[in-house]
Every structure is written in C-alpha cells, then in structure tokens.
Amino acid sequence: MGTTAQLGYLGLEVSDLGAWRRFATEALGLEVGALRPGGALPLRMDGHQHRFLLHEGPANDVAYIGWELADGAALEVLCGRLDRARVPFRAGTATEAAERGVKQLIHFVDPNGIRVEICHGPSMGAVPFRPGKIRSGFHTGDQGMGHVLINARDCAETERFYRDVLSFALTDYVHSEAPDRPLHAVFLHVNPRHHSLAFAELPLSKRLHHFMLEANSVDDVGAAFYRCQDLGVPLQRGLGRHQNDRMLSFYGYTPSGFCFEIGWGGRVIDDRHWEVKTYPGASEWGHRPLAPA
Ligand SMILES: [Fe+2]
C-alpha cells in the first residue's frame, strides 16, 4: 500500500445512535457532527471532517473500513494489483464518495466478509477540531486515525490477502499457547504507526474486536479510564502496556458490544531497521481482564 497510506475512516452499523452520541462525546472525546443526508452520523477527532460514520442498523459491528491513499495515482496502482490478483472491486458512486467525504473511492470484500474501501482526497473540516474530553487531542496525521483488530475467519488467508494483494507490511506476531488464553495475532502497518490493522481468529460473532484511538498525553488515558467508570461504561481490560507496540492503554465496551481501546505512547516504525519478531504474549504488564472478551 506504500508508506503514505493510513486508516482513514471506519463505518459502524449501530443499533442505538442515541447511546453512541453520549458515549462518543463523553467517553471517547469525539465531536458529533450533523446527520448526513443518507442518515449517517459523523464523528470527528482531528482535521478530517469525520473519522467515523455511524449507520443505524441491527448488526452492531463494522460496516466498512476505509483506507486512505495519497492520491489518485496511488489508487490506480492499487486497482492494478487487485486486477492482477483477480479480486473483484467496484468504483464507488458519486453519492457514496460524497457521503464518505472523499474525492474518489473503490470497494471490495476482504476474506472476512468485511467491506473494504480505498479512497483518496478526504474532506477536511471547515474549522479546526477542538479537543473535548481527550484534552491533548488525538495522535493522527500521517499515522491515520488509529488501528483496528478484526476477528479473522482464517488468519493465514487474511495475512496473505493484506500483505500480498494490498501490500500491507508485516510488523510482528503475538503467539501465545497459554491454555487459558491461546492467541495468534498478526500486526500489519501501512505507515510509521506500529500497526493500523491486526487480526486473530477469535471466539466472537462480530467481525470487529476493537478500534484504538491514541491520545497525545498519557494523562488523557488515565483520565479516560476513570471517566469511563464514572459514566458506567463497561471496561474489558484495565490499564496496561502492550509488548509489541508499547501502547499504554485500557479497553472498554462500546454501546454496540465491540470494544474500544484508548492508548498513548505507541511505537513508531522505521522500515529500514525493522526486525519482525514473535512475542509470547500481548502485554508487558497490566491489561487485567475486568470482563469477558
Ligand atoms: Fe489494539
């Protein structure tokens, strides 16, 4: 995908828009925009006009993942790769591009049945983003909006698809054979962020396990951890630091039942010196389970 790609936006199908409005503002510190003509609710976290689009519906899962490329030429190169790999894709309509707030997009379905959109030319907000509950703001820019961990149907097939067809770069693996918590997770990057996409075969019915948003200050992570408890947001894992991306974070449940992670201090990758490793566990310390995954 090149190193100028980023996780651009996430489309979520949620059954309770009202709960999400409060959760997004009060817990995550996002800015809720005006409902779009198609009925989607935009959430903003940086200069982009939005980074989330919420669609009302029963799935309570990811609806699509949007990857942003530098320009139309990069999108054309990617279309060539899809053609050569015989992955059927379609051009987004003008209505879809307007709703997503991008100049152009294409879309296809990944091996997990997730709709993937590749775009360029995002609309930026008319006024600068003003941080709310996450007072230091979010670490985005060329590292994109954060990362997602998806529940893969077949980890090996998903790895092949994202690395070989879409040219995501391998970061590392977490492989644990602990009887209580066996895990094989794959971490991929498309820019200096340690990973923008991770996946594992999880005992979940949803395709999305969590999305991660990175604050600019560690204090915002601690404050969010306690704020979520005050708000009654169910937490999944307490504060801890991951071994591979060094992210200091905690996990909680969104109103749709999949998780969010709020972190700080994520590792940055320089591809020239990167050595792929396999880690025996996910966390260096903490991340103690507070509720079932
Ligand atoms: Fe994460």
Side-chain angles (χ1 to χ4, degrees), residues 186-231:
V186 183
F187 298 82
L188 306 180
H189 63 277
V190 292
N191 58 49
R193 184 182 287 287
H194 174 276
H195 64 280
S196 295
L197 175 69
F199 44 87
E201 293 174 28
L202 301 166
L204 280 181
S205 56
K206 295 180 192 299
R207 295 263 67 89
L208 180 62
H209 179 272
H210 73 267
F211 60 79
M212 189 288 306
L213 307 180
E214 185 176 8
N216 285 322
S217 156
V218 69
D219 294 310
D220 275 320
V221 178
F225 180 70
Y226 288 101
R227 187 171 64 248
C228 284
Q229 292 178 61
D230 292 343
L231 290 166

Side-chain angles (χ1 to χ4, degrees), residues 5-6 58 70 77 129 163 168 184 211 231 247:
Q6 60 165 280
V77 169
F129 172 71
R163 288 179 64 190
F168 281 46
H184 178 74
F211 60 79
L231 290 166
M247 191 75 78

Side-chain angles (χ1 to χ4, degrees), residues 48-266:
H48 280 54
Q49 199 181 66
H50 63 258
R51 289 289 198 171
F52 291 88
L53 282 173
L54 308 183
H55 302 264
E56 200 164 15
N60 284 313
D61 204 348
V62 61
Y64 47 85
I65 300 176
W67 298 97
E68 183 186 312
L69 301 182
D71 50 32
L75 185 58
E76 232 165 81
V77 169
L78 191 101
C79 289
R81 296 184 68 95
L82 290 168
D83 271 333
R84 285 192 294 281
R86 300 181 196 281
V87 175
F89 65 92
R90 295 175 67 172
T93 62
T95 310
E96 284 171 325
E99 185 186 65
R100 305 298 194 261
V102 299
K103 278 206 183 100
Q104 190 187 0
L105 79 149
I106 62 151
H107 58 90
F108 50 89
V109 176
D110 85 351
N112 305 296
I114 296 173
R115 176 174 159 126
V116 174
E117 301 185 352
I118 316 272
C119 71
H120 71 93
S123 301
M124 306 308 270
V127 292
F129 172 71
R130 280 180 307 148
K133 297 286 184 184
I134 299 287
R135 287 157 63 177
S136 63
F138 294 99
H139 189 71
T140 58
D142 63 2
Q143 291 191 25
M145 67 182 283
H147 70 233
V148 285
L149 171 62
I150 61 178
N151 173 24
R153 285 178 182 153
D154 181 327
C155 227
E157 170 62 10
T158 302
E159 182 175 347
R160 191 199 62 77
F161 183 81
Y162 278 95
R163 288 179 64 190
D164 297 354
V165 180
L166 300 183
S167 65
F168 281 46
L170 177 63
T171 305
D172 48 34
Y173 301 102
V174 168
H175 188 85
S176 160
E177 291 181 5
D180 53 330
R181 276 174 64 190
L183 177 70
H184 178 74
V186 183
F187 298 82
L188 306 180
H189 63 277
V190 292
N191 58 49
R193 184 182 287 287
H194 174 276
H195 64 280
S196 295
L197 175 69
F199 44 87
E201 293 174 28
L202 301 166
L204 280 181
S205 56
K206 295 180 192 299
R207 295 263 67 89
L208 180 62
H209 179 272
H210 73 267
F211 60 79
M212 189 288 306
L213 307 180
E214 185 176 8
N216 285 322
S217 156
V218 69
D219 294 310
D220 275 320
V221 178
F225 180 70
Y226 288 101
R227 187 171 64 248
C228 284
Q229 292 178 61
D230 292 343
L231 290 166
V233 172
L235 297 182
Q236 191 223 359
R237 288 183 184 276
L239 290 163
R241 195 189 272 274
H242 282 302
Q243 282 189 44
N244 62 345
D245 71 353
R246 312 280 308 144
M247 191 75 78
L248 193 156
S249 63
F250 74 95
Y251 293 74
Y253 289 94
T254 69
S256 289
F258 51 77
C259 291
F260 66 92
E261 177 184 10
I262 293 181
W264 167 84

